[in-house]
Amino acid sequence: MATINSTVISGSHAIPALEPLLSGKRQLLLVTDANIVRLDAVAQIRTLLANDGRQVTLIDNVPAEPGHHDVSKLVKRVADLNVEMVIGIGGGSVLDVAKLLSVLCHPESPTLDAMLAGEKPQQRVTSVLIPATAGTGSEATPNAILAIPEQNTKVGIISPVLLPDYVALLPELTTSMPAHIASSTGIDALCHLIECFTATIANPISDNAALIGLQKLLKNIETSVNEPNNLLAKLEMLWASYYGGVAINHAGTHLVHALSYPLGGRYHLPHGVANAILLAPCMKVVRPHAVNKFAQVWDLLPDADRTLSAEEKSFALVEYFSALVKRLNLPDNLATLGVPSTDLSALADAALNVKRLMNNAPCQVSHDDVKAIYQTLFPELITKGVNHE
């Protein structure tokens, strides 16, 4: 658990409020990707960064699922710069890379390989994180996730030093998100919140953050997707995502994320899509072990029937999650995404190996349990009752 000392700036038309953060900085590194860099709001931020003769080095090619080789190349690219501040603008991958670069640009930091081996960084240069999606909550977590292609998985580098000095929640940056991105990243935030709320290591701090985030998310997720220019809904989703990151910082995710890691590492499925597919099946397994907490979440729904018993509310919430994924037009099975059903055992092996997350689950799951969850995501196996070994 790390203390979050970040200063948060939020609101529409708040870009000028970034100016005071740059005082005294001359050499800036802006980290983003090819899609985000084209946004009008990013153009405004770039103009602001370059004021007063500041030097801005731009990295705009962060890949969607960055690996350790990608970050190593970027470190070499900026090795000769005396970077004083790193600004990350983008989704979770961009923000994670920006966090790592804020450490790796400090002359006294360990190498990336050393951090992957477990060495903890102690220092970084000043960092500003600006999410352009409302989902990962990376701006509020001490985690940076990297793909390890050789092992068909992902690993997390975790240190409180990765937490930024400043966070800016600017809804204008999220209005151009395609509906499927807004949906999948929103479901990612939902997974963070509900998993942290039901984790074995949940506590009053993480519960408070999770409940605030869930209230904002459940009220605004569909509006934010269906009305992309609704700045209030977009801002509320940014805050929901931020609170999801806070909850991760004080508790941790479990079953959904453990099972989604192999889907990202092996098949390169977008993280939010993998989580959306797994949300209802995993929560069905968790439900008997978190009835009262599920009932609390059910009561946050704007149209919830609060006359139901706690048990009924918990069942209804799982059904709500399933229906929400469908309403958001997200995939609900793996077969359509090119994942072969013959890989069930390998997927279960890989998921169970994510012990850092599995240990947070409120229920113990066996290899057969995990395989059974994956099996529900292949319609042909449900129809035939096949159990692949």
Side-chain angles (χ1 to χ4, degrees):
M1 186 184 298
T3 302
I4 299 177
N5 293 317
S6 307
T7 297
V8 181
I9 295 167
S10 77
S12 58
H13 311 297
I15 290 175
L18 299 175
E19 177 70 46
L21 315 184
L22 309 174
S23 177
K25 307 296 184 186
R26 309 309 304 165
Q27 193 71 247
L28 312 180
L29 177 62
L30 175 59
V31 182
T32 185
D33 65 33
N35 293 318
I36 300 300
V37 77
R38 301 190 190 105
L39 300 180
D40 290 343
V42 175
Q44 295 177 46
I45 294 171
R46 291 180 67 184
T47 298
L48 183 148
L49 296 179
N51 284 346
D52 297 330
R54 289 184 287 262
Q55 299 299 307
V56 183
T57 300
L58 174 66
I59 291 174
D60 62 358
N61 61 343
V62 175
E65 299 284 339
H68 62 301
H69 298 305
D70 299 309
V71 176
S72 295
K73 289 177 184 175
L74 295 178
V75 172
K76 291 178 182 176
R77 181 173 161 187
V78 301
D80 296 331
L81 301 177
N82 182 26
V83 174
E84 298 171 274
M85 175 182 276
V86 174
I87 303 99
I89 307 177
S93 294
V94 167
L95 299 187
D96 282 3
V97 169
K99 287 196 283 191
L100 289 171
L101 289 175
S102 72
V103 168
L104 294 166
C105 284
H106 194 285
E108 297 178 21
S109 288
T111 65
L112 180 60
D113 285 342
M115 286 196 289
L116 285 168
E119 187 173 344
K120 298 296 185 184
Q122 302 300 319
Q123 301 182 76
R124 57 161 167 71
V125 301
T126 305
S127 62
V128 183
L129 297 184
I130 307 175
T133 63
T136 70
S138 177
E139 68 278 3
T141 75
N143 310 343
I145 308 299
L146 288 180
I148 308 295
E150 297 85 350
Q151 300 173 18
N152 289 318
T153 190
K154 298 179 180 180
V155 298
I157 295 174
I158 304 171
S159 168
V161 176
L162 292 174
L163 286 163
D165 295 279
Y166 305 103
V167 171
L169 305 179
L170 310 173
E172 293 91 342
L173 281 164
T174 68
T175 57
S176 62
M177 270 194 297
H180 71 281
I181 300 294
S183 297
S184 62
T185 55
I187 292 293
D188 188 21
L190 174 54
C191 290
H192 295 158
L193 292 160
I194 190 67
E195 286 180 90
C196 289
F197 190 49
T198 55
T200 55
I201 53 175
N203 55 76
I205 297 175
S206 63
D207 281 359
N208 187 52
L211 286 171
I212 294 172
L214 283 163
Q215 185 172 40
K216 291 178 178 298
L217 186 143
L218 295 172
K219 183 179 178 181
N220 290 282
I221 184 170
E222 292 185 80
T223 302
S224 73
V225 172
N226 298 326
E227 301 175 22
N229 292 311
N230 187 322
L231 292 180
L232 179 57
K234 291 291 189 182
L235 181 59
E236 287 290 273
M237 283 300 295
L238 282 168
W239 272 112
S241 177
Y242 180 83
Y243 276 112
V246 174
I248 290 173
N249 193 27
H250 291 285
T253 58
H254 50 81
L255 211 53
V256 174
H257 276 71
L259 270 67
S260 78
Y261 270 25
L263 297 175
R266 185 181 292 261
Y267 304 105
H268 309 292
L269 297 190
H271 180 62
V273 171
N275 283 353
I277 291 171
L278 288 161
L279 173 60
C282 287
M283 289 303 108
K284 186 176 181 180
V285 172
V286 169
R287 186 209 63 79
H289 308 274
V291 169
N292 288 332
K293 284 201 164 184
F294 272 33
Q296 282 181 266
V297 177
W298 171 260
D299 285 342
L300 296 177
L301 290 168
D303 299 321
D305 180 355
R306 294 175 180 81
T307 66
L308 301 176
S309 68
E311 190 83 10
E312 290 169 332
K313 290 175 181 178
S314 70
F315 277 110
L317 184 67
V318 175
E319 290 301 316
Y320 170 84
F321 288 153
S322 180
L324 177 63
V325 169
K326 286 185 173 66
R327 286 199 302 274
L328 293 174
N329 295 312
L330 290 167
D332 61 359
N333 72 81
L334 291 174
T336 57
L337 297 174
V339 178
S341 59
T342 50
D343 283 2
L344 282 173
S345 286
L347 285 169
D349 288 339
L352 285 167
N353 201 40
V354 190
K355 294 182 174 26
R356 176 176 64 88
L357 303 185
M358 280 295 189
N359 291 340
N360 294 339
C363 50
Q364 290 189 338
V365 289
S366 66
H367 186 275
D368 286 344
D369 294 331
V370 174
K371 197 164 68 169
I373 294 173
Y374 282 128
Q375 186 171 315
T376 65
L377 304 175
F378 293 93
E380 74 274 17
L381 299 186
I382 299 171
T383 301
K384 297 177 183 177
V386 175
N387 185 17
H388 279 289
E389 295 299 333

